[in-house]
């Protein structure tokens, strides 16, 4: 019995010894290096494009309102009518203006007669005064003053008459430029005016549709890549299989405070009238770099809620380097960092699991 106990104890001691040796051997084993694909960091001029919504508008567009309170007497055009600059569009009627112009004309004729009489009197007194002692200097001065006063009154009457004539001309509304009547909001007999119910809507809206204005708001980060004269292309929903081209003509040079974007406009020739003002377009803007920048695969960039970084490999050890992201093009992305140099080795498929100091086998 004692011999069996001693034998069992010896066996347990031998097993414990073997187990402890195995544990020490595992602790001493070196950590295996991960085999990870890397890429060489390089610079290039990245070319990319962005797609932005835009709107087509008439190159020139104006809403026409009545200058004076009146009623619609004649409508010469209707919606869709093509008009020429200076063409009569509508005739308005205001009886009180006719009365005003008649009164102004009467005052003008009366004042002309008064001035003619005072001027004749002055001329006779002036001629008579040339004979010494016939006319006193005071009488001559009074004749000059009367003539000057009547002349001033005549000029005032002429101005009043011209003013009423100008107001009367407002009763005929003409086209300010060549275009198309895109809206009509009145009928015969309707009351129109500069204020009140008759001014709620414009009488007509005229648009120049042979040339359109394409406007787009470009986000702040892309404004530095655009300049006047750059080519752009765009499509519209009603003609999905067609692409149109234009050039940048105007840039606002300032950012909209709400959208933080710059207004950019293009002129679009529309002689065929396939495009209509008000259409929504999708603009494709080419963004070409002026200088070379670091360009890496998108998979090499790790983005977290706190920062964006890449993982460099130096002496077979991983090290994260913070970066700022730029534009994207296909599978590539621009990055910016003062801590990176050309030909640095970057982990191609980076992740947060690769910690600083992790051994890496390339």
């Amino acid at each position: 019995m004692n011999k069996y106990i001693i034998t069992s104890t010896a066996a347990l001691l031998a097993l414990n010894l073997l187990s402890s040796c195995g544990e020490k051997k595992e602790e001493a084993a070196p950590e295996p290096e991960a085999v990870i694909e890397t890429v060489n960091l390089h610079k290039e001029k990245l070319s990319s494009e962005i797609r932005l919504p835009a709107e087509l508008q008439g190159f020139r567009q104006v809403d026409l309102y009545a200058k004076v309170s009146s009623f619609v007497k004649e409508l010469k055009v209707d919606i869709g009518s093509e008009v020429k600059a200076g063409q009569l569009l509508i005739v308005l009627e205001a009886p009180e203006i006719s009365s005003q112009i008649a009164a102004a004309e009467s005052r003008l004729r009366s004042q002309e007669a008064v001035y003619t009489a005072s001027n004749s009197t002055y001329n006779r007194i002036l001629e008579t005064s040339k004979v010494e002692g016939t006319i006193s200097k005071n009488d001559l001065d009074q004749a000059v003053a009367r003539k000057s006063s009547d002349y001033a009154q005549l000029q005032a009457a002429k101005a009043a008459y011209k003013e009423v004539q100008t107001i009367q001309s407002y009763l005929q509304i003409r086209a300010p430029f060549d275009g198309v009547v895109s809206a009509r909001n009145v009928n015969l007999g309707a009351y129109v005016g500069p204020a009140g119910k008759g001014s709620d809507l414009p009488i007509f809206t005229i648009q120049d549709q042979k040339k359109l204005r394409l406007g787009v708001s470009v986000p702040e980060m892309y404004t530095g890549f655009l300049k006047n004269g750059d080519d752009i292309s765009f499509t519209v929903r009603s003609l999905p299989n067609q692409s149109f081209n234009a050039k940048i003509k105007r840039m606002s040079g300032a950012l909209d405070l709400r959208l933080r974007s710059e207004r950019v406009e293009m002129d679009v020739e529309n002689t065929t009238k396939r495009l209509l003002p008000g259409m929504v377009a999708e603009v494709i803007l080419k963004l070409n770099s002026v200088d070379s920048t670091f360009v890496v695969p998108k998979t090499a960039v790790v983005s977290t809620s706190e920062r964006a970084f890449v993982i460099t490999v130096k002496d077979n050890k991983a090290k994260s380097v913070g970066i700022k992201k730029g534009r994207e093009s296909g599978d590539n992305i621009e990055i910016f960092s003062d801590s990176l140099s050309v030909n640095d080795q970057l982990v191609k498929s980076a992740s947060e699991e690769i910690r600083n100091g992790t051994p890496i086998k390339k």
Side-chain angles (χ1 to χ4, degrees):
M1 184 67 175
N2 290 338
K3 183 178 179 181
Y4 176 75
I5 293 173
I6 292 171
T7 303
S8 299
T9 302
L12 289 172
L13 289 173
L15 288 172
N16 289 335
L17 182 61
L18 290 172
S19 176
S20 62
C21 289
E23 289 176 358
K24 289 180 180 179
K25 186 175 181 180
E26 288 179 2
E27 291 175 359
E31 183 178 349
E33 295 180 342
V35 179
I36 294 178
E37 184 179 359
T38 60
V39 293
N40 289 330
L41 186 59
H42 67 283
K43 284 187 173 183
E44 65 178 76
K45 291 184 178 180
L46 186 67
S47 295
S48 61
E49 64 181 35
I50 56 171
R51 295 173 180 265
L52 297 172
E55 183 181 6
L56 285 164
Q57 299 175 338
F59 187 74
R60 290 179 293 180
Q61 175 175 317
V62 64
D63 293 330
L64 301 179
Y65 290 85
K67 177 71 173 177
V68 295
S69 299
S70 53
F71 296 91
V72 177
K73 183 179 180 180
E74 294 181 50
L75 284 171
K76 301 291 187 179
V77 295
D78 206 336
I79 186 170
S81 299
E82 293 191 9
V83 298
K84 299 292 184 181
Q87 179 178 334
L88 182 61
L89 306 179
I90 189 171
V91 176
L92 304 176
E93 186 177 32
E96 62 273 19
I97 293 180
S98 299
S99 300
Q100 291 172 9
I101 199 166
E105 185 178 9
S106 177
R107 285 193 296 269
L108 175 60
R109 300 292 174 255
S110 174
Q111 197 59 45
E112 284 177 343
V114 171
Y115 173 70
T116 300
S118 63
N119 186 48
S120 297
T121 301
Y122 165 74
N123 289 332
R124 285 195 302 273
I125 292 176
L126 179 62
E127 287 299 320
T128 304
S129 67
K130 292 179 181 179
V131 178
E132 187 176 354
T134 56
I135 299 295
S136 68
K137 188 176 184 303
N138 182 59
D139 290 342
L140 181 62
D141 290 341
Q142 287 183 355
V144 171
R146 189 176 299 109
K147 171 192 170 183
S148 299
S149 175
D150 290 342
Y151 179 76
Q153 293 294 328
L154 175 60
Q155 294 303 111
K158 285 182 178 180
Y161 180 62
K162 186 175 181 180
E163 180 183 3
V164 179
Q165 280 185 316
T166 302
I167 294 175
Q168 186 183 42
S169 69
Y170 295 149
L171 297 178
Q172 293 186 345
I173 298 178
R174 299 179 180 274
F177 50 78
D178 295 354
V180 176
V181 178
S182 61
R184 175 181 69 84
N185 298 301
V186 296
N187 291 302
L188 290 176
Y191 168 78
V192 294
K197 186 66 176 176
S199 63
D200 291 345
L201 296 172
I203 297 175
F204 291 120
T205 297
I206 309 295
Q207 292 180 334
D208 179 0
Q209 298 182 356
K210 292 182 179 179
K211 193 175 184 180
L212 301 180
R213 191 186 299 263
L214 180 63
V216 60
S217 296
V218 179
E220 179 182 358
M221 69 179 297
Y222 302 119
T223 56
F225 298 99
L226 303 175
K227 63 182 184 300
N228 284 334
D230 284 353
D231 294 318
I232 66 101
S233 61
F234 67 94
T235 58
V236 294
R237 295 175 182 174
S238 60
L239 302 168
N241 296 325
Q242 297 186 39
S243 179
F244 303 89
N245 298 314
K247 290 182 181 291
I248 295 177
K249 289 292 185 180
R250 291 167 295 278
M251 301 178 68
S252 66
L255 297 183
D256 182 275
L257 296 180
R258 295 178 298 104
L259 303 176
R260 293 298 171 185
S261 59
E262 182 178 11
R263 178 74 174 180
V264 176
E265 290 187 348
M266 288 70 70
D267 293 345
V268 181
E269 297 297 333
N270 189 41
T271 53
T272 60
K273 295 189 177 180
R274 289 182 297 170
L275 300 172
L276 300 177
M279 280 185 170
V280 175
E282 184 180 56
V283 174
I284 303 171
L285 297 175
K286 300 290 185 182
L287 306 177
N288 299 316
S289 296
V290 177
D291 301 317
S292 298
T293 55
F294 291 126
V295 178
V296 300
K298 291 180 182 179
T299 55
V301 178
V302 181
S303 298
T304 67
S305 58
E306 298 176 352
R307 63 174 186 144
F309 63 90
V310 295
I311 299 175
T312 61
V313 179
K314 190 173 183 180
D315 298 330
N316 293 333
K317 299 280 186 174
K319 181 183 178 182
S320 64
V321 177
I323 55 99
K324 289 183 179 179
K325 296 190 291 185
R327 295 172 298 144
E328 298 181 5
S329 177
D331 295 329
N332 296 326
I333 185 173
E334 279 182 325
I335 62 171
F336 303 92
S337 175
D338 294 333
S339 302
L340 296 174
S341 303
V342 176
N343 292 326
D344 281 352
Q345 296 287 305
L346 300 184
V347 174
K348 185 175 182 180
S349 298
S351 69
E352 293 184 77
E353 297 177 358
I354 303 177
R355 307 288 183 180
N356 285 337
T358 301
I360 292 179
K361 183 178 180 182
K362 297 180 283 183

